[in-house]
Amino acid sequence: MNNNSYNIFSTAYLPPISVISKINIYKCIYIDIYENYVKQTFRNRCHILSANGKLSLSIPVKKVNGNHTLTKDIEIDNSQPWQKIHWRAIESAYSNSPFFLYYRDAFEPFYLMETKYLIDFNNELLNLILKLTGIKTEILFSEKYFQPSINIIDLRNSISPKKENNISSKKYNQVFSEKFDFINDLSIIDLLFNEGKFCKEYL
């Protein structure tokens, strides 16, 4: 790998396991905050496993400059009770998982406060996830939009809820395994609540 290359990611809300696995590869990554925000992506949504199957949780956002709003300027629409809805869904999905009680106090405060900008909310959560999983990757924000080039490893749109995910993950025990076959590449919290301290070894 070129030592002068830049590893570029988009922001993500409770990212998929595959994204965290990619972050784990690098010593340093950049989050592109100067891209035009792309809707219906993992930038503001995640997938968890509920009693009814895979569930998508989306943070409502406000594009203050319409379709040309930069990611750094995307605001969270806190007029909607999304925090209460998301935490209730997470608690319902994972209250019986082996490590939920161990980690809940770390995650619950995020759903009891209001944050203005999506990038700030996502980044604070990402820092928590890296700490809990023992990943040492340095996270930096871009200072400009990264144009595609030979010096860029562009992972901004490599994984999307709108694309068929062909990534094959190793299986681990999931909460509702008696009801569903293993569901691949859910949010990192699915792995964390089910595997706890063994999460880093899995990644």
Side-chain angles (χ1 to χ4, degrees), residues 26-172:
Y26 305 111
K27 292 183 178 179
C28 174
I29 69 162
Y30 285 84
I31 303 292
D32 190 349
I33 64 174
Y34 283 88
E35 62 173 1
N36 283 339
Y37 181 78
V38 182
K39 63 181 183 179
Q40 296 181 350
T41 65
F42 288 120
R43 288 163 177 81
N44 72 319
R45 72 180 59 198
C46 69
H47 291 156
I48 65 172
L49 179 57
S50 75
N52 295 315
K54 186 161 73 171
L55 175 65
S56 180
L57 300 176
S58 298
I59 299 176
V61 298
K62 296 186 287 187
K63 296 194 290 184
V64 294
N65 297 313
N67 291 332
H68 299 290
T69 305
L70 302 181
T71 292
K72 71 181 184 67
D73 297 322
I74 290 291
E75 296 182 8
I76 296 175
D77 184 358
N78 287 308
S79 67
Q80 303 183 42
W82 69 271
Q83 297 104 319
K84 182 182 295 185
I85 293 169
H86 284 209
W87 184 248
R88 186 183 299 150
I90 291 169
E91 192 170 34
S92 176
Y94 296 108
S95 60
N96 291 325
S97 65
F99 293 93
F100 179 74
L101 291 179
Y102 187 79
Y103 293 123
R104 69 167 295 160
D105 289 346
F107 284 95
E108 188 174 17
F110 287 89
Y111 299 92
L112 299 174
M113 64 182 186
E114 288 191 2
T115 304
K116 183 175 182 179
Y117 292 105
L118 179 68
I119 186 66
D120 293 333
F121 185 78
N122 284 354
N123 194 58
E124 288 299 317
L125 268 176
L126 178 59
N127 285 333
L128 172 63
I129 288 164
L130 298 187
K131 178 181 178 181
L132 295 179
T133 54
I135 294 173
K136 305 298 184 182
T137 304
E138 183 180 8
I139 308 296
L140 300 174
F141 287 159
S142 64
E143 297 180 354
K144 62 180 181 179
Y145 175 71
F146 280 94
Q147 297 286 350
S149 77
I150 60 173
N151 292 325
I152 286 179
I153 300 173
D154 191 348
L155 298 163
R156 286 173 287 199
N157 296 299
S158 60
I159 299 169
S160 168
K162 294 185 288 186
K163 296 177 182 177
E164 184 68 26
N165 189 346
N166 294 320
I167 296 170
S168 179
S169 298
K170 293 178 291 184
K171 292 184 179 181
Y172 56 90

Side-chain angles (χ1 to χ4, degrees), residues 14-17 20 129 133 186-193 199 203:
L14 296 175
I17 294 167
I20 300 299
I129 288 164
T133 54
L186 295 171
S187 167
I188 185 64
I189 63 171
D190 188 79
L191 179 63
L192 192 62
F193 292 150
C199 189
L203 294 169

